[in-house]
Amino acid sequence: MESKTIRFVLKFLKRFCPDHLYEEIEGDLIQKFARDVGKFGERKARMKLIWNTCRFFRPEIIFRNKFSVKPTPLYMLRTNVILARRNMTRNKVFSSINVLGLSASIVVTILILQYVRFQLSYDDFHLQPENIYRVSTKVMLQNEVINHETNTYEGITAALKEDFPGIQAATSVYAFNSDNNFIRYEGDEKRLSPLQTFKALDVDSSFFNVFSFPLVAGNPTAVLKDPYSALISESLSIQYFSGNPIDKILEVYDGEEHIRYRITGVLKNIPLHSHIKFDLVVRGKEKDKNFLKSDIGFWDWGGQTYIRLQDPQDAGALESKLNYLAISNNGLKKDKDDYGRVSKFILQPLSDIHLFSHLSGEFEANGSAVLVYALLALGGIIIIIAWVNYINLSTAMADEKIKSIGIRKVIGASRAGLVAQLLTESAVFNILAVVISI
């Protein structure tokens, strides 16, 4: 019993103790064990021996050891690669199914990840996009939502621009297009010709204080400073103005009046991952009449209002202040039928609009967060299925591999060498599949 205990303890000690300390520690332990047998008895001496050995299992002893990992020589790696190639050539059907299955799954997964990345990157090109919010309006009657839309009231927009110190900038945006408006542009011969198709925004001078749409020509702080200024996209500039549209005239007709704008800048083509897509921007004079030609009131509907906050954490407090402002101005409603309706205002983070907002009046049909995350899960499942299929096929070929492994062991192959061969073969399969997929 004594010799077995000593052998076990010394074997454990040898695993972690540095060679230059081992003999000295070994002698001390054996000597102390002999004294403890005579003093306490064999059973207690064995326990003390184990405890004394474990006390040496500490960092200052372990880290004095020089750990070394013998790398696989290059010639062995080359040999393993050659063997893997021969196995693939010998089992062409098995190899083709494995490689093509893995590569197809990787291709599909990469495409899914690219799509998911695109969907999640909406509106991230703006400066500090986390500070930008859209103010949406939820109209309720007897605790039931009767309307939830992206537009808000003129009084709320005016208050956001003037009355709340935590807001860096606020802008109001109206969208129109070639379906309901007519635009003519000034050509090289000073004649006005019709603009075929367009998506346009009617904005105010604070537009570039909130958004960071890049410009090819013009200064963001000056291009919309003056009333009746206009911007066009780079593609429209090339198509209609041969790349030189500055100071040219755009005439907009909305069915009631003709308004002329002077082009003061050129927009870089709007990124595809923007929830607002347009190729033309105009800034008219400040609106003082509603569509009924009467003075604009607090509860007249306006456009979509975007704000830039100094601190995104103030969004919740600002919502409460807006809702209180609406209640305090309830008496300004012109239609008596509106008195029973309650309007609440919700700040939507800019990054959430594309995937999580499906309100009335959106600029375009937005994406679906459920679909994006479902596709992400599908990509993971596809990869897992491909790997499971690879493992199943490898298992089916196990009998032949066992024979070759047995032969190599008989002729003196080490366990580490056999493991290296199998890992190399798997690595060759996976690397080849990745190369084909890319």
Side-chain angles (χ1 to χ4, degrees):
M1 179 67 68
E2 177 182 335
S3 61
K4 288 184 178 179
T5 302
I6 293 176
R7 284 200 304 269
F8 171 77
V9 170
L10 296 181
K11 188 176 180 181
F12 172 70
L13 178 68
K14 193 173 182 65
R15 285 187 175 273
F16 67 85
C17 186
D19 292 338
H20 64 282
L21 297 177
Y22 175 74
E23 290 186 4
E24 183 179 353
I25 295 174
E26 177 191 29
D28 291 342
L29 288 173
I30 293 174
Q31 187 177 9
K32 191 167 190 329
F33 174 73
R35 288 200 304 265
D36 290 340
V37 169
K39 189 175 180 179
F40 302 108
E42 184 178 335
R43 182 176 180 182
K44 193 168 184 179
R46 286 202 306 267
M47 298 298 295
K48 291 178 74 65
L49 175 63
I50 295 172
W51 169 246
N52 289 331
T53 304
C54 290
R55 288 174 61 191
F56 286 103
F57 191 74
R58 57 182 188 265
E60 56 265 33
I61 296 294
I62 297 172
F63 292 133
R64 288 187 188 180
N65 210 345
K66 294 182 179 179
F67 299 99
S68 62
V69 177
K70 295 182 180 179
T72 302
L74 290 178
Y75 69 87
M76 286 300 298
L77 182 61
R78 179 173 176 273
T79 302
N80 290 337
V81 171
I82 292 173
L83 289 174
R85 187 186 64 184
R86 288 177 181 175
N87 289 335
M88 293 175 64
T89 305
R90 190 181 302 114
N91 304 289
K92 293 180 180 178
V93 175
F94 161 77
S95 302
S96 299
I97 294 174
N98 258 345
V99 172
L100 293 178
L102 281 173
S103 60
S105 64
I106 292 173
V107 168
V108 173
T109 303
I110 289 175
L111 292 175
I112 290 175
L113 290 177
Q114 288 289 339
Y115 176 77
V116 170
R117 180 185 177 187
F118 173 76
Q119 291 291 314
L120 295 177
S121 68
Y122 258 70
D123 297 306
D124 64 355
F125 58 89
H126 293 289
L127 178 66
Q128 295 179 324
E130 68 277 3
N131 290 15
I132 303 176
Y133 290 80
R134 182 176 69 183
V135 183
S136 66
T137 306
K138 182 185 290 186
V139 182
M140 305 180 69
L141 179 63
Q142 297 180 352
N143 294 324
E144 280 192 25
V145 178
I146 61 174
N147 186 24
H148 192 183
E149 63 176 272
T150 58
N151 298 328
T152 191
Y153 303 109
E154 293 284 1
I156 295 296
T157 302
L160 288 169
K161 292 180 178 180
E162 299 170 3
D163 300 338
F164 295 96
I167 299 177
Q168 289 183 341
T171 188
S172 187
V173 178
Y174 300 80
F176 64 96
N177 55 42
S178 51
D179 293 337
N180 47 32
N181 287 265
F182 182 72
I183 294 182
R184 295 191 300 171
Y185 68 95
E186 180 185 4
D188 294 334
E189 299 177 357
K190 302 296 182 180
R191 291 192 311 167
L192 294 178
S193 305
L195 206 64
Q196 299 300 324
T197 59
F198 58 87
K199 290 183 179 180
L201 299 180
D202 187 353
V203 303
D204 54 35
S205 59
S206 301
F207 183 73
F208 283 108
N209 294 334
V210 176
F211 297 109
S212 308
F213 291 105
L215 293 175
V216 175
N219 188 338
T221 61
V223 287
L224 295 176
K225 184 178 179 180
D226 298 325
Y228 304 107
S229 301
L231 306 173
I232 64 171
S233 68
E234 190 175 10
S235 58
L236 286 186
S237 170
I238 295 172
Q239 182 178 356
Y240 292 103
F241 298 96
S242 301
N244 186 27
I246 303 299
D247 290 331
K248 296 294 180 64
I249 299 299
L250 290 177
E251 184 182 80
V252 179
Y253 178 63
D254 60 2
E256 295 184 359
E257 59 179 337
H258 296 267
I259 304 175
R260 288 197 168 194
Y261 299 88
R262 183 176 64 88
I263 298 176
T264 56
V266 178
L267 287 157
K268 193 173 182 179
N269 290 332
I270 304 304
L272 294 177
H273 57 296
S274 171
H275 85 281
I276 311 176
K277 293 184 175 65
F278 56 93
D279 42 36
L280 194 151
V281 174
V282 297
R283 185 241 162 154
K285 67 177 182 178
E286 296 295 329
K287 294 179 174 60
D288 55 2
K289 301 290 183 181
N290 58 21
F291 70 97
L292 296 175
K293 303 303 180 184
S294 59
D295 292 340
I296 289 180
F298 185 95
W299 294 100
D300 283 324
W301 281 105
Q304 296 192 24
T305 300
Y306 294 82
I307 60 174
R308 177 179 285 277
L309 297 180
Q310 292 179 352
D311 187 352
Q313 295 182 354
D314 295 339
L318 181 59
E319 281 185 0
S320 301
K321 291 178 182 178
L322 289 176
N323 293 330
Y324 176 78
L325 178 66
I327 294 173
S328 63
N329 285 275
N330 201 48
L332 298 177
K333 291 182 177 179
K334 299 176 182 179
D335 189 344
K336 63 180 181 179
D337 293 334
D338 289 342
Y339 279 89
R341 300 179 180 180
V342 177
S343 295
K344 292 186 176 181
F345 304 98
I346 300 171
L347 299 187
Q348 297 178 290
L350 183 68
S351 58
D352 289 352
I353 291 176
H354 176 67
L355 291 180
F356 299 96
S357 180
H358 302 88
L359 308 182
S360 173
E362 297 282 0
F363 287 114
E364 63 178 12
N366 286 328
S368 169
V370 175
L371 176 62
V372 168
Y373 293 123
L375 285 173
L376 195 60
L378 179 62
I381 292 171
I382 289 173
I383 284 291
I384 291 173
I385 291 175
W387 279 333
V388 169
N389 180 61
Y390 171 76
I391 293 171
N392 287 338
L393 289 174
S394 298
T395 304
M397 299 295 295
D399 290 340
E400 185 173 342
K401 287 186 178 180
I402 289 173
K403 293 178 183 178
S404 64
I405 291 172
I407 294 172
R408 294 196 67 189
K409 288 188 70 175
V410 168
I411 63 177
S414 65
R415 181 179 179 182
L418 294 173
V419 171
Q421 179 196 347
L422 295 175
L423 290 178
T424 303
E425 186 173 343
S426 297
V428 169
F429 271 109
N430 285 273
I431 292 172
L432 187 58
V434 170
V435 170
I436 292 174
S437 64
I438 294 176

